[in-house]
Amino acid sequence: MRPLEGLIVLEFCQFLAGPSAGLKLADLGARVIKIERPIKGEACRQLSIKDLFVDDSSLLFHTINRNKESFAADLKNPDDLVLIKKLIEKADIMTHNFRPGVMEKIGLNFENTLAINPQIIYGTITGYGNEGPWAKKPGQDLLLQSLSGLSWLSGRKSQAPVPFGLAVADLMCGNHFVQGILAALLKRAKTKKGVLVEVSLLESILDVQFEAITSFLNDGGQQPERGDIKGSAHAFLSAPYGVYPTQDGYLSLAMGDLIFIGKTLGLDLNAFADKHLWFEKRDEIRTILSERIKTQTSDYWIEILQKEGIWCGKVFNYEELDSQPFVNELQLKQTVKNTEGETMITTRSPIQLDGEILLSEKAAPKVGQDNLNIHEEFIQAK
């Protein structure tokens, strides 16, 4: 039995942050019911990755909405709103990421929802909080990476700001949202009262950067100083930290004693014996390391370096990653199936409980796929 089995989640969320949280709750055993507009459904169904679609919905939608149910309802329709309120009566958790004011307008803000269900856990995600001049601005991942300073932490100095290749603000906010909801479940168990859980994309992406921001606030306001050679990797760490080309690929070198690493590579780096130089002269040092490392293959260096306990590894692309034995040994992939029997390969929950890997075979639902069953179970039932 999974720990959240028996809990009912009503998910009014769209795009990535809220639905990714719902995915994690579903993997932990909760019954997650997406409330979607009729016909078109949640907006993410049409937000595609590389124009890839399954079941007339984007592959992106499928990656974060497996193992859920879909109930189609028009929140502007009074009759549908009555049905939604009946579902709220039976729910444990309700989540949404509408802009401030939307739920108030239709009478489903926290206070009104408490009147329907006094023990509801009511979770909201906003872009920038509920108040202030930014409250109603669009909370889009790239915009959050940009205004939060995160885009100054990737790439090289000469590249100017470089955003991440993932929706990190959305996904980390989804993680924080789950943490808040789990904490709210514990609080409700103690108080027997409903709990309001609030997170914002801005606060979440700032929390992800707590190391960098703390350094800025306590180091005289010094900005992140990225290196300016290929593979420099980190704005705050000294050489040798970075990625280096080899004869047949790339090698990553993590933190370690620079002089010892140089000796292991056959280099004399005693000119940089002062550890302060490891950061100050890191581009120069990395250039010296790179010239040496590119003379041999990745496997050649890994055998030598790992024998000495030096942290290093190959840099895989997805094809190389997929061929590694640990992918199958750890069951890192799973196959999900839709109602028509079509299959899709995806990742799984990274959590294991009592040795059990949390797999789920159910693909994302079609719009309104579960209306009839949910209507019979929750709305018609006396």
Side-chain angles (χ1 to χ4, degrees), residues 271-290:
F272 306 101
D274 183 348
K275 287 189 176 182
H276 292 95
L277 296 176
W278 298 4
F279 186 82
E280 181 182 332
K281 301 289 186 180
R282 58 187 172 153
D283 279 0
E284 181 181 341
I285 295 168
R286 286 168 175 157
T287 300
I288 295 170
L289 293 173
S290 182

Side-chain angles (χ1 to χ4, degrees), residues 108-317:
L108 289 181
N109 59 328
F110 179 52
E111 290 75 15
N112 290 342
T113 304
L114 274 182
I116 301 170
N117 183 341
Q119 293 194 32
I120 194 80
I121 290 172
Y122 188 100
T124 71
I125 293 177
T126 61
Y128 314 92
N130 290 307
E131 299 177 355
W134 285 77
K136 295 188 178 181
K137 290 184 180 293
Q140 196 277 338
D141 187 88
L142 178 60
L143 304 183
L144 267 298
Q145 289 195 43
S146 300
L147 69 87
S148 69
L150 184 66
S151 57
W152 288 102
L153 297 181
S154 292
R156 293 146 57 190
K157 181 187 293 187
S158 58
Q159 290 179 290
V162 179
F164 278 65
L166 292 171
V168 289
D170 283 327
L171 297 174
M172 290 308 302
C173 187
N175 287 336
H176 290 141
F177 200 35
V178 172
Q179 293 172 17
I181 289 169
L182 295 178
L185 285 168
L186 293 175
K187 183 175 181 179
R188 185 180 69 176
K190 297 175 182 177
T191 65
K192 309 301 181 186
K193 296 179 181 179
V195 183
L196 174 63
V197 179
E198 299 174 283
V199 297
S200 75
L201 293 170
L202 177 60
E203 290 164 294
S204 184
I205 200 61
L206 291 177
D207 181 74
V208 171
Q209 300 174 77
F210 72 92
E211 291 178 287
I213 292 173
T214 301
S215 296
F216 167 79
L217 295 174
N218 293 275
D219 187 29
Q222 295 294 313
Q223 296 289 343
E225 187 178 339
R226 296 173 295 170
D228 206 21
I229 63 170
K230 290 182 179 180
S232 53
H234 201 293
F236 294 94
L237 293 182
S238 308
Y241 198 93
V243 171
Y244 300 86
T246 66
Q247 272 190 359
D248 60 351
Y250 292 89
L251 176 77
S252 59
L253 272 176
M255 295 174 289
D257 186 302
L258 177 65
I259 308 304
F260 179 68
I261 291 172
K263 182 179 179 180
T264 306
L265 292 171
L267 292 170
D268 181 359
L269 296 179
N270 286 316
F272 306 101
D274 183 348
K275 287 189 176 182
H276 292 95
L277 296 176
W278 298 4
F279 186 82
E280 181 182 332
K281 301 289 186 180
R282 58 187 172 153
D283 279 0
E284 181 181 341
I285 295 168
R286 286 168 175 157
T287 300
I288 295 170
L289 293 173
S290 182
E291 289 298 315
R292 176 60 174 158
I293 290 171
K294 70 182 182 181
T295 63
Q296 300 289 346
T297 66
S298 298
D299 284 334
Y300 174 87
W301 289 124
I302 286 173
E303 182 179 0
I304 290 173
L305 293 167
Q306 288 187 347
K307 187 183 298 183
E308 299 296 334
I310 295 169
W311 296 350
C312 63
K314 286 186 178 181
V315 181
F316 294 142
N317 59 31

Side-chain angles (χ1 to χ4, degrees), residues 2-13:
R2 300 191 183 186
L4 300 188
E5 282 187 24
L7 293 179
I8 297 171
V9 180
L10 300 183
E11 179 182 283
F12 293 79
C13 299

